[in-house]
């Protein structure tokens, strides 16, 4: 769909199902060559949300045929224990992807743990080797949420070259890699953050808006140029009318009528993140076994 109708919904559930179908086919092809893609997930502590995320990742891996290994360490595990586990997984040739679920307990230095992961197995794309590679336009493992946003944008708009994209938020997980990917796709990129001046006016110039702020419904109609494409990364739980609801960073009801296309929350970016994690795992397995990426596979396709 290269010409968007006004206010069109970008269906992340449908696109993620398509990505997962592609991954399932890729896994089958790898298995036919004697490679069984495997993802190790490390969970430290008792954070209930993290347990849900890990369960979902393991379930999704099973559905696409990826072998998953789950390692659960107690909240009081030492940094040395976590690093020893990462070292063991780095050295295990049958493991292609390693994901350490964040946040880690406060006494463990997250950066040290992420930096200990072999960059070739870093399916979250958080190691500085991959972060640096992304900024240099090299073919590296890219963080899953921004990679998912790029897939949605490409499916909606086709060529992104020359578009003015505004990213609201500059976190290492979403905002910064998103900006790097958009730049790699030849967009003109503006990144807004909490110290930005005239943020609303700058955003109103954008052809593409990616909101990753973590503030419920902050982006209203005043921020949006008519005809823009809006990707809402935010996931915020609020209490409203006596009910608990998930809402994005964009005020969907006010913004949708103005847009060419927009992601809903839930059902937009959310489902893409796990799908892209599965895709990264297959990419990592291919690269570790020296199998060339095919034209449709993520890294080139996402970053170029
Ligand atoms: P962070 O809290 O790490 O970053 C938020 C960013 O927003 C910061 O860069 C901050 O600026 C900026 N910001 C805060 N207030 C404003 C403001 N008033 N105007 C402009 N910028 C502002 O959040 P994340 O990037 O981790 O996540 C963002 C949202 O995306 C959250 O709702 C999160 O739940 C969601 N998310 C969703 C995922 C998914 O799978 N769909 C995955 C990851 C996150 P500064 O740097 O100056 O503080």
């Amino acid at each position: 769909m290269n010409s968007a109708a006004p206010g069109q919904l970008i269906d992340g559930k449908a696109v993620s199902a398509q990505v997962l179908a592609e991954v399932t086919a890729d896994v089958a092809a790898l298995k036919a060559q004697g490679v069984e893609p495997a993802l190790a997930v490390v969970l430290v502590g008792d954070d209930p949300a993290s347990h849900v995320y890990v369960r979902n990742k393991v379930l999704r891996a099973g559905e696409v045929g990826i072998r998953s290994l789950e390692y659960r360490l107690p909240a009081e595990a030492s940094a040395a224990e976590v690093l020893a586990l990462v070292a063991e997984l780095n050295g295990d040739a049958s493991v292609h992807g390693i994901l350490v679920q964040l946040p880690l307990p406060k006494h463990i230095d997250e950066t040290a743990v992420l930096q200990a992961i072999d960059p070739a197995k870093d399916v979250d794309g958080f190691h500085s080797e991959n972060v640096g590679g992304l900024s240099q336009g090299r073919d590296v493992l890219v963080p899953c949420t921004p990679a998912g946003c790029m897939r949605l944008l490409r499916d909606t708009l086709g060529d992104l070259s020359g578009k003015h994209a505004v990213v609201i938020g500059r976190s290492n997980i979403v905002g910064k890699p998103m900006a790097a990917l958009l730049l790699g796709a030849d967009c003109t990129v503006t990144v807004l953050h909490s110290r930005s001046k005239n943020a609303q006016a700058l955003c109103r110039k954008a052809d593409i808006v990616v909101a990753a702020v973590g503030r419920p419904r902050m982006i209203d109609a005043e921020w949006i140029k008519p005809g823009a494409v809006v990707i809402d990364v935010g996931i915020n739980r609020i209490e409203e009318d006596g009910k608990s609801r998930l809402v994005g960073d964009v005020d969907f009801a006010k913004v949708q009528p103005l847009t060419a296309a927009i992601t809903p929350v839930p059902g937009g970016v959310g489902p893409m993140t796990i799908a892209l994690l599965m895709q990264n795992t297959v990419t990592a397995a291919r690269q570790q076994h020296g199998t060339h990426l095919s034209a449709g596979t993520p890294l080139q396709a996402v970053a170029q």
Side-chain angles (χ1 to χ4, degrees):
M1 52 179 169
N2 285 343
S3 62
Q8 170 197 329
L9 270 190
I10 301 174
D11 186 346
K13 275 194 203 157
V15 181
S16 68
Q18 210 178 315
V19 172
L20 290 170
E22 291 161 13
V23 171
T24 304
D26 288 347
V27 170
L30 276 169
K31 284 184 175 169
Q33 295 169 41
V35 178
E36 185 184 29
L39 172 66
V41 183
V42 178
L43 176 57
V44 187
D46 311 312
D47 179 53
S50 293
H51 276 262
V52 173
Y53 295 144
V54 164
R55 197 175 60 227
N56 289 340
K57 287 167 187 173
V58 167
L59 278 174
R60 200 60 85 235
E63 284 166 18
V64 297
I66 291 174
R67 183 168 73 96
S68 62
L69 302 91
E70 236 181 298
Y71 296 87
R72 290 173 185 254
L73 301 181
E76 56 281 6
S78 67
E81 284 172 284
V82 178
L83 290 169
L85 174 57
V86 168
E88 184 189 321
L89 296 169
N90 282 343
D92 183 342
S94 74
V95 170
H96 305 101
I98 303 172
L99 181 146
V100 176
Q101 184 65 45
L102 302 179
L104 288 170
K106 291 212 174 354
H107 65 279
I108 299 177
D109 178 355
E110 265 179 18
T111 307
V113 172
L114 296 179
Q115 288 297 99
I117 297 172
D118 178 347
K121 298 189 178 187
D122 170 35
V123 283
D124 259 340
F126 294 158
H127 191 287
S128 61
E129 167 66 20
N130 288 321
V131 174
L134 170 60
S135 118
Q136 292 174 328
R138 285 194 280 123
D139 192 11
V140 292
L141 292 164
V142 172
C144 303
T145 299
C149 295
M150 286 303 281
R151 172 73 186 246
L152 294 176
L153 283 169
R154 284 196 184 290
D155 277 16
T156 306
L157 286 166
D159 184 16
L160 306 183
S161 173
K163 306 255 183 236
H164 181 199
V166 165
V167 180
I168 315 167
R170 57 171 167 182
S171 70
N172 291 334
I173 295 174
V174 189
K176 283 180 196 156
M178 189 72 229
L181 286 167
L182 288 162
L183 200 54
D186 296 327
C187 290
T188 302
V189 183
T190 304
V191 182
L192 303 176
H193 47 79
S194 68
R195 307 295 175 91
S196 296
K197 293 193 166 47
N198 304 321
Q200 211 179 70
L202 289 167
C203 188
R204 215 167 34 229
K205 294 180 192 294
D207 305 311
I208 294 168
V209 175
V210 180
V213 192
R215 292 180 180 250
R217 296 181 183 142
M218 185 184 95
I219 312 300
D220 65 15
E222 299 301 313
W223 292 68
I224 304 297
K225 177 172 83 173
V229 171
V230 176
I231 304 290
D232 188 354
V233 182
I235 301 179
N236 309 290
R237 188 163 286 286
I238 61 163
E239 297 299 319
E240 194 172 61
D241 305 330
K243 284 187 191 149
S244 169
R245 289 181 203 276
L246 277 188
V247 300
D249 293 339
V250 176
D251 189 331
F252 185 87
K254 290 185 184 149
V255 167
Q256 186 193 16
L258 277 176
T259 63
I262 182 169
T263 56
V265 176
V269 175
M272 295 299 290
T273 298
I274 289 193
L276 270 289
L277 172 66
M278 299 304 133
Q279 200 176 54
N280 274 355
T281 304
V282 167
T283 301
R286 275 204 183 117
Q287 289 179 331
Q288 284 158 50
H289 287 271
T291 316
H292 288 295
L293 293 171
S294 63
T297 1
L299 302 179
Q300 295 290 11
V302 162
Q304 303 294 305

